Amino acid sequence: MSEGAAKKEEKPRKFQAIRGTRDLLPPETALWNRVEQTAHEVFATFGFGEIRLPIFEPTELFARSIGLDTDVVLKEMYSFPDHGLWDVEGQRTNILLRRPDIENAQSVGLFTSQVDALIDRVEPALKAGEIPKTPDNERALEQLRAGSDRISTFLVPQTAGLAEERFKLTIGFIQDAAASLTLGDQVTLRPEATASVCRAYIEHGMQQLSQPVKLYYIGPMFRRERPQKGRYRQFYQIGAEVLGGGDAPAIDAEVIEMVMTFFDRLELQGVQLDINSIGDKNCRPKYVELLRAELLKVRDKLGPDSQRRIETNPLRVLDSKLESEQAIIAKLPRIADHLCEECAAHYAAVKHQLEMRGVIYHENWRLVRGLDYYMRTTFEITAKGLGSQNAVCGGGRYDGLVELLGGPPTKGIGFAIGEDRLILSLQESGKGAVAAGRDVYIAWMGERAHATAIRAAKDLRKAGFSVELPPVEQKFGKALGQADKLGAKYALILGDNEVSEGLWTLKTLADGSQQKLTEPQLLDFLRKL
């Protein structure tokens, strides 16, 4: 086979969505729009304003807010250096991949020239600020210079064994220096949005506004998790945060009331609200030490993850889903019995406020948060149709987060809804139906009717109806068939007779009935439906 024939037979690569991502298509997107529009409407009635945040932020923002030792930061974040220095990146990669041979002067010379070329490129870039001028980068440049000078000494005859060992150490020294160069800021696709909202609150001086500041967001987040039902690597959240002001229990209760109102408006089925208090810096540390002491007594009966968490974060043991650990966990001390006077009073007041609002709740002593800045109120909402992983919303108070991110001491509480899981729950429970198809399909025949059809479509769309206007004339039977495929409710039939008489034929596709109407009568008829 000739080369030309082989190329002719090659098929272009068929692209697909990356694993863990997906396309959202009509008519399902209509349900997403309904959910998000309901969020806009409900949250606005509680005085919340929408904030739109960047998709990526400095990696350190999430490392500090989520926790350096969490799975999200260690394993799941999509992070990358933000720079355009691909020539420098290429030079560095060449150095890192080289394995020069001390007995081959040409390979040593080539490696040395590559190191020198990198030095010549990095030095002016550092001075110009093209590469971040940090102590670490300046140290790396000095190490590259020292390594380059040292390599030349190996071209002079030396004791073979000793020289080879020193040569390998020098190559490693140079490669470590090259690898340590930071060419740009490390940025991360946001795995959650609370930290971004707090960053925006600090950056824009929102503490100077009337407090509290009430914000909500809707948008995609990114985590490299194992894809499964209702869980994706690009997923969507609807969330809200209240920042500033006091920590009155009524604030906590109103935030919970708002999200429960949202779920009620959507007719989400099987909703259950669990609440707890995890204390504050005055009482939680004592409880954590008590919990750790009790866990150490039963350490041998716990799985490896729980054993590790005894030292790192005992509260996380309470999250365990292992069947073999449930009976053990049930006998552990409960934080509600170890709250300080102020936290106990706050928790009691939150429950009272929820009761005043008619919000039904369940107390769940195992509902905890592992990071230090979380405190007092914590809550979770579950729904039907999601199996064992049935949470659709989690939230709580985080009075220390803004300060942790460099802002002033600020009270805060919020929640995040997993929109993918919410949509799935609505669909599984039969509450995800949305109106599909068009309101009117215009079946026109003849040039005179075409002009009238264009005007009719314009007027109907202006009145708020969805209209399908075929671009070319169709036979009557084909037009009705197309209208039926599109799920149209009505077919507006326009031919020469309808145009001449000024009476338009409207056919109800569900039952086949039809009637003749003037243009004003048509609009009145459709508006009354």
Side-chain angles (χ1 to χ4, degrees):
M1 183 183 292
S2 68
E3 185 179 344
K7 287 183 178 179
K8 188 176 181 181
E9 287 187 5
E10 287 179 6
K11 291 184 178 180
R13 175 186 170 188
K14 183 179 180 182
F15 290 97
Q16 292 184 315
I18 293 171
R19 184 170 182 262
T21 68
R22 58 183 176 149
D23 301 304
L24 298 172
L25 308 174
E28 186 182 2
T29 44
L31 174 58
W32 285 74
N33 288 334
R34 176 165 71 84
V35 167
E36 291 169 9
Q37 183 57 35
T38 302
H40 289 304
E41 293 169 0
V42 171
F43 296 175
T45 65
F46 282 79
F48 281 70
E50 184 184 9
I51 182 170
R52 300 194 180 190
L53 301 156
I55 289 290
F56 55 90
E57 297 269 11
T59 300
E60 187 184 354
L61 175 70
F62 301 116
R64 200 183 298 179
S65 63
I66 299 173
L68 282 168
D69 61 348
T70 60
D71 285 347
V72 173
V73 171
L74 292 175
K75 303 176 185 177
E76 297 173 0
M77 295 203 310
Y78 286 97
S79 301
F80 54 92
D82 182 25
H83 67 80
L85 303 168
W86 301 113
D87 60 326
V88 182
E89 192 71 76
Q91 289 176 311
R92 172 165 64 179
T93 300
N94 281 334
I95 289 170
L96 295 177
L97 294 177
R98 288 286 174 188
R99 296 291 182 268
D101 182 356
I102 192 172
E103 295 182 358
N104 186 328
Q106 186 177 359
S107 73
V108 175
L110 178 59
F111 184 78
T112 304
S113 66
Q114 289 176 331
V115 174
D116 290 341
L118 180 62
I119 292 169
D120 291 343
R121 178 67 177 88
V122 168
E123 192 167 19
L126 268 176
K127 289 178 181 177
E130 192 179 1
I131 292 175
K133 194 172 183 180
T134 63
D136 286 344
N137 275 347
E138 290 179 335
R139 191 179 306 112
L141 180 59
E142 286 302 316
Q143 289 174 350
L144 286 170
R145 289 197 191 103
S148 177
D149 291 341
R150 203 178 301 170
I151 284 183
S152 61
T153 65
F154 291 100
L155 297 176
V156 178
Q158 301 180 42
T159 305
L162 184 61
E164 187 172 353
E165 186 62 30
R166 288 176 178 171
F167 182 76
K168 288 179 180 178
L169 289 173
T170 300
I171 298 302
F173 178 78
I174 290 171
Q175 290 177 334
D176 287 346
S180 69
L181 279 170
T182 300
L183 302 183
D185 296 326
Q186 194 76 3
V187 298
T188 295
L189 298 180
R190 62 187 187 197
E192 56 92 38
T194 298
S196 297
V197 174
C198 290
R199 189 266 311 149
Y201 179 87
I202 298 166
E203 181 176 342
H204 299 288
M206 293 188 192
Q207 63 269 26
Q208 304 302 322
L209 303 175
S210 176
Q211 303 294 297
V213 174
K214 300 194 284 188
L215 302 166
Y216 75 92
Y217 58 85
I218 300 172
M221 312 293 158
F222 305 86
R223 293 185 190 180
R224 197 181 188 284
E225 295 186 289
R226 183 171 61 86
Q228 53 185 290
K229 185 178 181 181
R231 194 180 294 275
Y232 302 92
R233 291 178 175 177
Q234 177 177 320
F235 58 99
Y236 296 82
Q237 285 188 345
I238 300 172
E241 318 291 347
V242 179
L243 295 166
D247 60 354
I251 296 175
D252 302 33
E254 187 172 83
V255 166
I256 294 171
E257 179 191 10
M258 181 174 80
V259 71
M260 294 297 282
T261 300
F262 170 60
F263 288 151
D264 183 62
R265 186 77 64 85
L266 292 173
E267 298 183 53
L268 185 64
Q269 301 297 294
V271 174
Q272 177 174 311
L273 166 66
D274 287 354
I275 65 168
N276 192 25
S277 174
I278 56 174
D280 63 11
K281 61 184 179 181
N282 296 315
C283 55
R284 188 165 68 240
K286 296 175 185 176
Y287 169 73
V288 169
E289 287 310 310
L290 173 63
L291 181 62
R292 179 180 281 117
E294 293 299 315
L295 287 168
L296 285 171
K297 295 177 184 178
V298 294
R299 179 186 178 91
D300 294 342
K301 299 178 182 178
L302 300 173
D305 283 345
S306 291
Q307 288 184 5
R308 177 175 51 83
R309 288 168 177 165
I310 292 174
E311 299 303 327
T312 61
N313 199 335
L315 288 173
R316 293 290 308 280
V317 176
L318 303 180
D319 287 333
S320 172
K321 301 296 188 292
L322 287 178
E323 189 62 36
S324 60
E325 296 182 349
Q326 301 312 301
I328 299 170
I329 293 172
K331 297 176 183 177
L332 293 172
R334 303 190 173 202
I335 193 167
D337 299 328
H338 298 273
L339 297 175
C340 62
E341 187 176 336
E342 291 81 2
C343 288
H346 185 273
Y347 186 37
V350 169
K351 291 186 284 186
H352 177 62
Q353 287 283 340
L354 290 172
E355 290 158 5
M356 290 174 65
R357 289 165 166 76
V359 177
I360 299 170
Y361 62 84
H362 299 262
E363 292 187 70
N364 181 355
W365 71 276
R366 290 178 57 175
L367 188 59
V368 295
R369 297 287 183 264
L371 299 175
D372 289 342
Y373 57 77
Y374 281 109
M375 60 181 296
R376 294 189 173 173
T377 305
T378 183
F379 62 93
E380 183 177 85
I381 300 169
T382 56
K384 281 184 177 179
L386 298 173
S388 59
Q389 300 292 319
N390 59 352
V392 291
C393 175
R397 180 163 284 283
Y398 49 83
D399 290 355
L401 180 54
V402 171
E403 191 172 2
L404 181 68
L405 298 178
T410 304
K411 306 294 184 184
I413 185 172
F415 63 81
I417 297 165
E419 191 176 1
D420 303 81
R421 299 174 68 75
L422 171 59
I423 295 288
L424 180 60
S425 182
L426 289 169
Q427 291 171 330
E428 292 287 329
S429 62
K431 296 296 180 180
V434 289
R438 315 290 191 271
D439 293 321
V440 179
Y441 186 97
I442 301 179
W444 60 273
M445 286 147 281
E447 195 57 37
R448 288 180 61 205
H450 191 193
T452 303
I454 291 172
R455 179 169 57 81
K458 186 174 183 178
D459 291 343
L460 288 167
R461 287 165 177 160
K462 188 176 180 180
F465 298 104
S466 60
V467 178
E468 187 69 24
L469 176 65
V472 295
E473 182 177 353
Q474 296 173 319
K475 292 183 178 180
F476 184 65
K478 184 177 180 180
L480 292 184
Q482 185 68 13
D484 190 54
K485 285 181 181 178
L486 291 173
K489 297 171 187 172
Y490 299 96
L492 179 60
I493 301 167
L494 294 175
D496 289 341
N497 291 341
E498 281 78 9
V499 173
S500 299
E501 296 173 5
L503 290 172
W504 298 354
T505 302
L506 186 69
K507 186 179 184 70
T508 304
L509 296 177
D511 59 14
S513 62
Q514 59 185 49
Q515 54 188 312
K516 287 188 173 290
L517 302 166
T518 63
E519 186 174 354
Q521 288 173 336
L522 172 69
L523 287 170
D524 287 342
F525 174 79
L526 293 174
R527 284 194 183 108
K528 290 174 183 176
L529 297 174

